Amino acid sequence: MSLPDATGCHAIVLAAGAGSRFGGGKLLAPFRGRPLIYWSVAAALSSRVTSVTAVLGARADDVAAALAPFADRRLSLVRCRHWEEGLSASLTYGLRTLPLDTRAVAIFLGDMPDLDPGLADRVLTEVVGGAPAAYPECRGLPGHPVALSSELFPLIESLKGDQGARAVLAGQSGVIRVPTDDPGSIADIDTRHDLKRLGP
């Protein structure tokens, strides 16, 4: 499903964490010939969103260098000084960088390299159509990217620590689950074993 009107639709890629369970440097780890973070950003840029914002934190200079090959003017990099406070800090910081006329945003995680690029457009289409949020569901499990209406942004601001958008969605009615057969929507990389398992 192609997003019919991408006006006011944006994407955020959360790429601020240190990857402690991985042993550090997770987003810079080689994966299919590129740094791991490259693939999430590529998926976001493959959607019809107006802009893609990558929120950096740990080893920000190195992650920025890893994204230098992208020549797409829609991509911007921002640095969250409080990234060590958890996922919620980088998520809320990213939302604050969006234009005032934002209607919806798709949230990508930097450690999910196998996402179907079309999923962002599908979940955003649901939000543009009136849903407060939408997310992919594969094998009965919730996945990414999660799309949020700007109406939920104030609630996101209340999150703390490693809470993500899903903590807010649990209390919302009308959230749309978008069925998908794409295992990449639920496959993130936490450890080096995960990296080998998802590799070529």
Side-chain angles (χ1 to χ4, degrees), residues 15-158:
S20 56
R21 289 179 59 189
F22 191 84
K26 177 174 69 173
L27 299 182
L28 300 167
F31 185 83
R32 297 175 183 163
R34 299 277 192 178
L36 180 61
I37 182 57
Y38 177 94
W39 300 106
S40 293
V41 173
L45 287 170
S46 294
S47 70
R48 295 192 61 227
V49 295
T50 303
S51 74
V52 174
T53 300
V55 182
L56 314 186
R59 299 185 62 176
D61 289 341
D62 294 330
V63 175
L67 298 178
F70 288 107
D72 197 316
R73 293 184 178 180
R74 293 180 299 155
L75 176 63
S76 62
L77 311 181
V78 299
R79 303 187 184 210
C80 177
R81 290 182 297 173
H82 305 293
W83 63 269
E84 290 178 289
E85 295 178 6
L87 181 67
S88 62
S90 55
L91 174 56
T92 55
Y93 185 79
L95 292 179
R96 291 170 191 163
T97 68
L98 297 177
L100 293 178
D101 62 352
T102 296
R103 291 194 295 164
V105 61
I107 308 297
F108 288 76
L109 301 183
D111 61 358
M112 299 184 73
D114 276 344
L115 283 173
D116 175 357
L119 278 177
D121 289 343
R122 291 181 65 192
V123 293
L124 283 168
T125 295
E126 298 293 349
V127 172
V128 170
Y135 61 87
E137 184 177 73
C138 180
R139 302 170 186 168
L141 299 174
H144 279 82
V146 175
L148 304 172
S149 165
S150 59
E151 296 177 0
L152 294 184
F153 292 1
L155 294 178
I156 299 293
E157 291 278 350
S158 68

